[in-house]
Amino acid sequence: MRLIRLCILNRLTYELADWEGITIYYSLMYRSWSEDKQAETGVLEQASVTRDELFMRKLVDATLMKNKLWAHLSNECQDRRDHAIYVTAYDQQMPEGHGAAIAEAALGRCKMSPMYSPEYMLWNGRSFEELELAESSGYTMELAEQLLDHYMVREGETYEFLYSVLDADRKKVLFFMKEVDL
């Protein structure tokens, strides 16, 4: 009797371990929005993404798709399963001060990654240059958590996040930042 219980318990443990390996995907659409028409003008891209990736994608300020930069306007969810991110051409929603430099730096990147990872771009007064930091997470939820922060402190230096761009093709999240004294 004890052996049977042990076998059943082992099998249940094995089945639960397998269950944790199941990944649920969510439907996500990028929809273009026209301010002039005050209407959606079409679907730019559709993807199936994990919950963590969905969270990360909704938190960035812009997305690079098909070599074009799109600024995020809003997010929505229908019936708790169909998600949408409304975007417009970046040049129509550029942030003041650094907008052109952000576009230039985002479109000029070419490093690819097998898993999502951050790239830190530091403002030098004229343009953004890559800042090499030792710690690089490949977990989408850690990147999403970092997107919620306004500041980052590394090795005694404080950086303010100015803007963020997702490049899904390269599996990168670009963090545009400047050094600040707090």
Side-chain angles (χ1 to χ4, degrees), residues 24-31 43 45-51 53-55 57-58 76-85:
I24 298 172
Y25 287 89
Y26 295 82
S27 172
L28 172 64
M29 282 193 279
Y30 285 91
R31 300 173 186 241
V43 174
E45 189 171 292
Q46 188 167 352
S48 292
V49 298
T50 64
R51 185 175 189 185
E53 187 175 341
L54 176 68
F55 187 50
R57 284 177 180 246
K58 285 186 172 186
E76 77 175 14
C77 177
Q78 288 183 358
D79 300 323
R80 299 184 66 196
R81 64 172 189 264
D82 295 322
H83 298 266
I85 298 173

mmCIF file of all heavy atoms in Angstrom, residues 24-31 43 45-51 53-55 57-58 76-85:
data_model
loop_
_atom_site.group_PDB
_atom_site.id
_atom_site.type_symbol
_atom_site.label_atom_id
_atom_site.label_comp_id
_atom_site.label_asym_id
_atom_site.label_seq_id
_atom_site.Cartn_x
_atom_site.Cartn_y
_atom_site.Cartn_z
ATOM 1 N N ILE A 24 1.076 29.954 -21.665
ATOM 2 C CA ILE A 24 -0.135 30.517 -22.241
ATOM 3 C C ILE A 24 0.252 31.734 -23.071
ATOM 4 O O ILE A 24 1.020 32.580 -22.616
ATOM 5 C CB ILE A 24 -1.138 30.907 -21.143
ATOM 6 C CG1 ILE A 24 -1.551 29.656 -20.363
ATOM 7 C CG2 ILE A 24 -2.347 31.613 -21.746
ATOM 8 C CD1 ILE A 24 -2.373 29.929 -19.140
ATOM 9 N N TYR A 25 -0.284 31.806 -24.272
ATOM 10 C CA TYR A 25 -0.003 32.931 -25.167
ATOM 11 C C TYR A 25 -1.235 33.809 -25.308
ATOM 12 O O TYR A 25 -2.364 33.328 -25.278
ATOM 13 C CB TYR A 25 0.447 32.419 -26.543
ATOM 14 C CG TYR A 25 1.835 31.865 -26.509
ATOM 15 C CD1 TYR A 25 2.057 30.529 -26.205
ATOM 16 C CD2 TYR A 25 2.925 32.681 -26.744
ATOM 17 C CE1 TYR A 25 3.351 30.026 -26.146
ATOM 18 C CE2 TYR A 25 4.208 32.180 -26.685
ATOM 19 C CZ TYR A 25 4.409 30.855 -26.377
ATOM 20 O OH TYR A 25 5.685 30.362 -26.314
ATOM 21 N N TYR A 26 -0.979 35.101 -25.458
ATOM 22 C CA TYR A 26 -2.036 36.090 -25.599
ATOM 23 C C TYR A 26 -1.950 36.718 -26.984
ATOM 24 O O TYR A 26 -0.863 36.948 -27.504
ATOM 25 C CB TYR A 26 -1.881 37.186 -24.533
ATOM 26 C CG TYR A 26 -2.073 36.658 -23.136
ATOM 27 C CD1 TYR A 26 -1.025 36.029 -22.460
ATOM 28 C CD2 TYR A 26 -3.291 36.761 -22.494
ATOM 29 C CE1 TYR A 26 -1.193 35.523 -21.183
ATOM 30 C CE2 TYR A 26 -3.474 36.269 -21.212
ATOM 31 C CZ TYR A 26 -2.416 35.652 -20.563
ATOM 32 O OH TYR A 26 -2.596 35.158 -19.304
ATOM 33 N N SER A 27 -3.096 37.033 -27.527
ATOM 34 C CA SER A 27 -3.162 37.694 -28.823
ATOM 35 C C SER A 27 -2.905 39.194 -28.626
ATOM 36 O O SER A 27 -3.534 39.827 -27.775
ATOM 37 C CB SER A 27 -4.553 37.483 -29.432
ATOM 38 O OG SER A 27 -4.699 38.268 -30.589
ATOM 39 N N LEU A 28 -1.987 39.732 -29.403
ATOM 40 C CA LEU A 28 -1.650 41.151 -29.326
ATOM 41 C C LEU A 28 -1.629 41.729 -30.740
ATOM 42 O O LEU A 28 -1.001 41.172 -31.631
ATOM 43 C CB LEU A 28 -0.280 41.348 -28.671
ATOM 44 C CG LEU A 28 0.283 42.765 -28.689
ATOM 45 C CD1 LEU A 28 -0.597 43.723 -27.882
ATOM 46 C CD2 LEU A 28 1.704 42.787 -28.172
ATOM 47 N N MET A 29 -2.325 42.854 -30.914
ATOM 48 C CA MET A 29 -2.320 43.552 -32.202
ATOM 49 C C MET A 29 -1.802 44.968 -32.001
ATOM 50 O O MET A 29 -2.139 45.624 -31.013
ATOM 51 C CB MET A 29 -3.725 43.616 -32.794
ATOM 52 C CG MET A 29 -4.156 42.328 -33.427
ATOM 53 S SD MET A 29 -5.627 42.539 -34.421
ATOM 54 C CE MET A 29 -6.875 42.483 -33.167
ATOM 55 N N TYR A 30 -0.972 45.402 -32.939
ATOM 56 C CA TYR A 30 -0.559 46.795 -33.004
ATOM 57 C C TYR A 30 -1.469 47.456 -34.028
ATOM 58 O O TYR A 30 -1.493 47.059 -35.195
ATOM 59 C CB TYR A 30 0.903 46.911 -33.442
ATOM 60 C CG TYR A 30 1.873 46.531 -32.354
ATOM 61 C CD1 TYR A 30 2.324 45.224 -32.218
ATOM 62 C CD2 TYR A 30 2.332 47.487 -31.453
ATOM 63 C CE1 TYR A 30 3.215 44.883 -31.220
ATOM 64 C CE2 TYR A 30 3.230 47.143 -30.448
ATOM 65 C CZ TYR A 30 3.665 45.843 -30.335
ATOM 66 O OH TYR A 30 4.544 45.499 -29.349
ATOM 67 N N ARG A 31 -2.224 48.452 -33.590
ATOM 68 C CA ARG A 31 -3.184 49.134 -34.455
ATOM 69 C C ARG A 31 -2.733 50.574 -34.655
ATOM 70 O O ARG A 31 -2.411 51.262 -33.688
ATOM 71 C CB ARG A 31 -4.574 49.120 -33.835
ATOM 72 C CG ARG A 31 -5.106 47.725 -33.597
ATOM 73 C CD ARG A 31 -6.412 47.780 -32.820
ATOM 74 N NE ARG A 31 -6.844 46.459 -32.465
ATOM 75 C CZ ARG A 31 -7.989 45.926 -32.876
ATOM 76 N NH1 ARG A 31 -8.807 46.620 -33.622
ATOM 77 N NH2 ARG A 31 -8.315 44.714 -32.513
ATOM 78 N N VAL A 43 -4.355 47.436 -38.917
ATOM 79 C CA VAL A 43 -3.526 46.596 -38.052
ATOM 80 C C VAL A 43 -2.140 46.521 -38.675
ATOM 81 O O VAL A 43 -1.996 46.139 -39.833
ATOM 82 C CB VAL A 43 -4.138 45.192 -37.893
ATOM 83 C CG1 VAL A 43 -3.201 44.281 -37.110
ATOM 84 C CG2 VAL A 43 -5.495 45.279 -37.214
ATOM 85 N N GLU A 45 0.599 44.889 -37.110
ATOM 86 C CA GLU A 45 1.225 43.605 -36.798
ATOM 87 C C GLU A 45 0.379 42.880 -35.774
ATOM 88 O O GLU A 45 -0.284 43.503 -34.944
ATOM 89 C CB GLU A 45 2.630 43.842 -36.239
ATOM 90 C CG GLU A 45 3.451 42.596 -36.076
ATOM 91 C CD GLU A 45 4.898 42.906 -35.729
ATOM 92 O OE1 GLU A 45 5.606 43.458 -36.590
ATOM 93 O OE2 GLU A 45 5.298 42.586 -34.600
ATOM 94 N N GLN A 46 0.412 41.561 -35.835
ATOM 95 C CA GLN A 46 -0.270 40.735 -34.854
ATOM 96 C C GLN A 46 0.729 39.713 -34.344
ATOM 97 O O GLN A 46 1.529 39.185 -35.119
ATOM 98 C CB GLN A 46 -1.470 40.041 -35.487
ATOM 99 C CG GLN A 46 -2.334 39.331 -34.489
ATOM 100 C CD GLN A 46 -3.678 38.920 -35.073
ATOM 101 O OE1 GLN A 46 -4.029 39.288 -36.184
ATOM 102 N NE2 GLN A 46 -4.429 38.151 -34.310
ATOM 103 N N ALA A 47 0.682 39.442 -33.042
ATOM 104 C CA ALA A 47 1.630 38.503 -32.449
ATOM 105 C C ALA A 47 0.958 37.713 -31.336
ATOM 106 O O ALA A 47 -0.031 38.158 -30.759
ATOM 107 C CB ALA A 47 2.824 39.264 -31.882
ATOM 108 N N SER A 48 1.505 36.547 -31.056
ATOM 109 C CA SER A 48 1.118 35.755 -29.889
ATOM 110 C C SER A 48 2.286 35.844 -28.920
ATOM 111 O O SER A 48 3.405 35.468 -29.271
ATOM 112 C CB SER A 48 0.861 34.304 -30.280
ATOM 113 O OG SER A 48 -0.282 34.214 -31.079
ATOM 114 N N VAL A 49 2.025 36.339 -27.725
ATOM 115 C CA VAL A 49 3.096 36.587 -26.764
ATOM 116 C C VAL A 49 2.730 36.033 -25.394
ATOM 117 O O VAL A 49 1.560 35.871 -25.076
ATOM 118 C CB VAL A 49 3.412 38.100 -26.658
ATOM 119 C CG1 VAL A 49 3.905 38.651 -27.982
ATOM 120 C CG2 VAL A 49 2.201 38.891 -26.189
ATOM 121 N N THR A 50 3.759 35.762 -24.593
ATOM 122 C CA THR A 50 3.535 35.317 -23.223
ATOM 123 C C THR A 50 3.030 36.493 -22.395
ATOM 124 O O THR A 50 3.108 37.653 -22.806
ATOM 125 C CB THR A 50 4.828 34.783 -22.590
ATOM 126 O OG1 THR A 50 5.764 35.863 -22.493
ATOM 127 C CG2 THR A 50 5.412 33.628 -23.388
ATOM 128 N N ARG A 51 2.548 36.191 -21.216
ATOM 129 C CA ARG A 51 2.035 37.246 -20.333
ATOM 130 C C ARG A 51 3.131 38.253 -19.968
ATOM 131 O O ARG A 51 2.912 39.453 -19.976
ATOM 132 C CB ARG A 51 1.456 36.612 -19.075
ATOM 133 C CG ARG A 51 0.812 37.601 -18.170
ATOM 134 C CD ARG A 51 0.164 36.916 -17.007
ATOM 135 N NE ARG A 51 -0.618 37.879 -16.268
ATOM 136 C CZ ARG A 51 -1.226 37.602 -15.152
ATOM 137 N NH1 ARG A 51 -1.166 36.394 -14.654
ATOM 138 N NH2 ARG A 51 -1.909 38.525 -14.526
ATOM 139 N N GLU A 53 5.843 38.972 -21.667
ATOM 140 C CA GLU A 53 6.189 39.771 -22.839
ATOM 141 C C GLU A 53 5.095 40.792 -23.136
ATOM 142 O O GLU A 53 5.381 41.927 -23.516
ATOM 143 C CB GLU A 53 6.433 38.877 -24.047
ATOM 144 C CG GLU A 53 6.948 39.638 -25.244
ATOM 145 C CD GLU A 53 7.325 38.761 -26.421
ATOM 146 O OE1 GLU A 53 7.548 37.546 -26.247
ATOM 147 O OE2 GLU A 53 7.402 39.316 -27.528
ATOM 148 N N LEU A 54 3.848 40.409 -22.948
ATOM 149 C CA LEU A 54 2.732 41.334 -23.146
ATOM 150 C C LEU A 54 2.881 42.536 -22.220
ATOM 151 O O LEU A 54 2.743 43.688 -22.644
ATOM 152 C CB LEU A 54 1.408 40.612 -22.888
ATOM 153 C CG LEU A 54 0.148 41.459 -22.948
ATOM 154 C CD1 LEU A 54 -0.102 41.934 -24.377
ATOM 155 C CD2 LEU A 54 -1.042 40.660 -22.431
ATOM 156 N N PHE A 55 3.184 42.270 -20.968
ATOM 157 C CA PHE A 55 3.369 43.329 -19.979
ATOM 158 C C PHE A 55 4.502 44.269 -20.403
ATOM 159 O O PHE A 55 4.359 45.481 -20.403
ATOM 160 C CB PHE A 55 3.655 42.681 -18.618
ATOM 161 C CG PHE A 55 3.698 43.623 -17.461
ATOM 162 C CD1 PHE A 55 2.688 44.541 -17.225
ATOM 163 C CD2 PHE A 55 4.762 43.581 -16.570
ATOM 164 C CE1 PHE A 55 2.732 45.401 -16.141
ATOM 165 C CE2 PHE A 55 4.814 44.432 -15.481
ATOM 166 C CZ PHE A 55 3.799 45.341 -15.268
ATOM 167 N N ARG A 57 5.757 44.721 -23.443
ATOM 168 C CA ARG A 57 5.407 45.438 -24.676
ATOM 169 C C ARG A 57 4.468 46.611 -24.414
ATOM 170 O O ARG A 57 4.533 47.637 -25.089
ATOM 171 C CB ARG A 57 4.767 44.484 -25.687
ATOM 172 C CG ARG A 57 5.770 43.573 -26.379
ATOM 173 C CD ARG A 57 5.042 42.619 -27.310
ATOM 174 N NE ARG A 57 5.933 41.720 -28.003
ATOM 175 C CZ ARG A 57 6.126 41.743 -29.326
ATOM 176 N NH1 ARG A 57 5.492 42.601 -30.076
ATOM 177 N NH2 ARG A 57 6.941 40.871 -29.871
ATOM 178 N N LYS A 58 3.589 46.471 -23.431
ATOM 179 C CA LYS A 58 2.660 47.562 -23.122
ATOM 180 C C LYS A 58 3.341 48.696 -22.357
ATOM 181 O O LYS A 58 2.852 49.815 -22.357
ATOM 182 C CB LYS A 58 1.466 47.034 -22.323
ATOM 183 C CG LYS A 58 0.476 46.266 -23.173
ATOM 184 C CD LYS A 58 -0.753 45.887 -22.363
ATOM 185 C CE LYS A 58 -1.830 45.296 -23.237
ATOM 186 N NZ LYS A 58 -3.069 45.059 -22.478
ATOM 187 N N GLU A 76 -5.302 48.521 -24.821
ATOM 188 C CA GLU A 76 -6.623 48.067 -24.400
ATOM 189 C C GLU A 76 -6.670 46.545 -24.413
ATOM 190 O O GLU A 76 -5.810 45.891 -25.010
ATOM 191 C CB GLU A 76 -7.736 48.635 -25.279
ATOM 192 C CG GLU A 76 -7.897 47.972 -26.619
ATOM 193 C CD GLU A 76 -9.091 48.490 -27.411
ATOM 194 O OE1 GLU A 76 -9.653 49.539 -27.062
ATOM 195 O OE2 GLU A 76 -9.444 47.830 -28.399
ATOM 196 N N CYS A 77 -7.698 46.026 -23.759
ATOM 197 C CA CYS A 77 -7.915 44.587 -23.716
ATOM 198 C C CYS A 77 -9.408 44.337 -23.864
ATOM 199 O O CYS A 77 -10.211 44.981 -23.190
ATOM 200 C CB CYS A 77 -7.410 44.036 -22.392
ATOM 201 S SG CYS A 77 -7.701 42.275 -22.216
ATOM 202 N N GLN A 78 -9.762 43.405 -24.743
ATOM 203 C CA GLN A 78 -11.159 43.020 -24.914
ATOM 204 C C GLN A 78 -11.365 41.643 -24.320
ATOM 205 O O GLN A 78 -10.623 40.697 -24.655
ATOM 206 C CB GLN A 78 -11.539 42.983 -26.386
ATOM 207 C CG GLN A 78 -11.648 44.332 -27.025
ATOM 208 C CD GLN A 78 -12.098 44.222 -28.477
ATOM 209 O OE1 GLN A 78 -12.286 43.143 -29.020
ATOM 210 N NE2 GLN A 78 -12.266 45.378 -29.103
ATOM 211 N N ASP A 79 -12.366 41.537 -23.472
ATOM 212 C CA ASP A 79 -12.737 40.252 -22.877
ATOM 213 C C ASP A 79 -11.572 39.535 -22.206
ATOM 214 O O ASP A 79 -11.498 38.304 -22.223
ATOM 215 C CB ASP A 79 -13.385 39.340 -23.928
ATOM 216 C CG ASP A 79 -14.638 39.958 -24.522
ATOM 217 O OD1 ASP A 79 -15.380 40.612 -23.763
ATOM 218 O OD2 ASP A 79 -14.856 39.788 -25.736
ATOM 219 N N ARG A 80 -10.639 40.285 -21.677
ATOM 220 C CA ARG A 80 -9.491 39.761 -20.920
ATOM 221 C C ARG A 80 -8.597 38.828 -21.729
ATOM 222 O O ARG A 80 -7.830 38.064 -21.165
ATOM 223 C CB ARG A 80 -9.950 39.073 -19.644
ATOM 224 C CG ARG A 80 -10.685 40.012 -18.709
ATOM 225 C CD ARG A 80 -11.058 39.371 -17.438
ATOM 226 N NE ARG A 80 -9.829 39.064 -16.713
ATOM 227 C CZ ARG A 80 -9.765 38.242 -15.697
ATOM 228 N NH1 ARG A 80 -10.842 37.631 -15.280
ATOM 229 N NH2 ARG A 80 -8.635 38.017 -15.091
ATOM 230 N N ARG A 81 -8.691 38.888 -23.080
ATOM 231 C CA ARG A 81 -7.829 37.984 -23.851
ATOM 232 C C ARG A 81 -7.266 38.604 -25.115
ATOM 233 O O ARG A 81 -6.198 38.233 -25.542
ATOM 234 C CB ARG A 81 -8.543 36.684 -24.146
ATOM 235 C CG ARG A 81 -9.740 36.811 -25.002
ATOM 236 C CD ARG A 81 -10.297 35.448 -25.419
ATOM 237 N NE ARG A 81 -11.303 35.684 -26.411
ATOM 238 C CZ ARG A 81 -12.597 35.758 -26.181
ATOM 239 N NH1 ARG A 81 -13.040 35.556 -24.976
ATOM 240 N NH2 ARG A 81 -13.433 36.013 -27.144
ATOM 241 N N ASP A 82 -7.968 39.517 -25.747
ATOM 242 C CA ASP A 82 -7.477 40.144 -26.973
ATOM 243 C C ASP A 82 -6.923 41.524 -26.635
ATOM 244 O O ASP A 82 -7.674 42.415 -26.236
ATOM 245 C CB ASP A 82 -8.592 40.256 -28.018
ATOM 246 C CG ASP A 82 -9.077 38.907 -28.490
ATOM 247 O OD1 ASP A 82 -8.225 38.002 -28.632
ATOM 248 O OD2 ASP A 82 -10.295 38.744 -28.714
ATOM 249 N N HIS A 83 -5.613 41.683 -26.811
ATOM 250 C CA HIS A 83 -4.930 42.910 -26.414
ATOM 251 C C HIS A 83 -4.553 43.725 -27.638
ATOM 252 O O HIS A 83 -4.261 43.167 -28.700
ATOM 253 C CB HIS A 83 -3.671 42.568 -25.612
ATOM 254 C CG HIS A 83 -3.993 41.846 -24.341
ATOM 255 N ND1 HIS A 83 -4.153 42.500 -23.155
ATOM 256 C CD2 HIS A 83 -4.209 40.519 -24.085
ATOM 257 C CE1 HIS A 83 -4.438 41.620 -22.207
ATOM 258 N NE2 HIS A 83 -4.475 40.413 -22.751
ATOM 259 N N ALA A 84 -4.544 45.046 -27.465
ATOM 260 C CA ALA A 84 -4.159 45.935 -28.559
ATOM 261 C C ALA A 84 -3.315 47.076 -28.017
ATOM 262 O O ALA A 84 -3.517 47.537 -26.890
ATOM 263 C CB ALA A 84 -5.393 46.500 -29.257
ATOM 264 N N ILE A 85 -2.358 47.493 -28.831
ATOM 265 C CA ILE A 85 -1.557 48.680 -28.551
ATOM 266 C C ILE A 85 -1.793 49.625 -29.724
ATOM 267 O O ILE A 85 -1.581 49.250 -30.877
ATOM 268 C CB ILE A 85 -0.058 48.350 -28.412
ATOM 269 C CG1 ILE A 85 0.176 47.397 -27.238
ATOM 270 C CG2 ILE A 85 0.765 49.632 -28.258
ATOM 271 C CD1 ILE A 85 1.601 46.884 -27.115
#
